[in-house]
């Protein structure tokens, strides 16, 4: 079974998003300042790759983002987050 371009782009985007989650978990858990900085730099590079792949996916119609949140939805989320759940 051959993979098409859409599958490859979406799979790449999914993989990069997973990497970003892992960096977000690792960075606050390390006490080594040099390692923390290295992880932050890697996360920055990963974010740039994610943005590039995301642009490609949107341009080609492979990814359609959800509708923008309403002001009421944004206010609700802010309220919940500020209350500490």
């Amino acid at each position: 079974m051959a993979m098409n371009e859409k599958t490859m782009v979406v799979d790449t985007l999914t993989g990069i998003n997973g990497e970003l989650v892992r960096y977000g978990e690792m960075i606050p858990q390390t006490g080594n300042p040099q390692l923390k900085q290295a992880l932050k730099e890697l996360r920055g590079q990963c974010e740039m790759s994610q943005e590039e792949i995301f642009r490609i996916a949107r341009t080609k119609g492979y990814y359609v983002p959800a509708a923008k949140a309403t002001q009421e939805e944004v206010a609700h989320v802010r309220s919940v987050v500020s209350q500490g759940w």
Side-chain angles (χ1 to χ4, degrees), residues 3-48:
M3 291 182 79
N4 63 30
E5 183 182 68
K6 178 180 180 179
T7 301
M8 289 186 282
V9 169
V10 171
D11 283 354
T12 300
L13 188 57
T14 300
I16 291 172
N17 287 340
E19 288 179 39
L20 287 169
V21 169
R22 285 187 289 285
Y23 285 126
E25 294 168 348
M26 289 186 287
I27 291 168
Q29 294 181 24
T30 182
N32 181 315
Q34 292 85 11
L35 177 57
K36 188 177 293 254
Q37 184 58 39
L39 290 170
K40 286 178 179 180
E41 290 170 11
L42 289 169
R43 180 184 61 189
Q45 293 169 3
C46 192
E47 287 172 349
M48 288 189 299

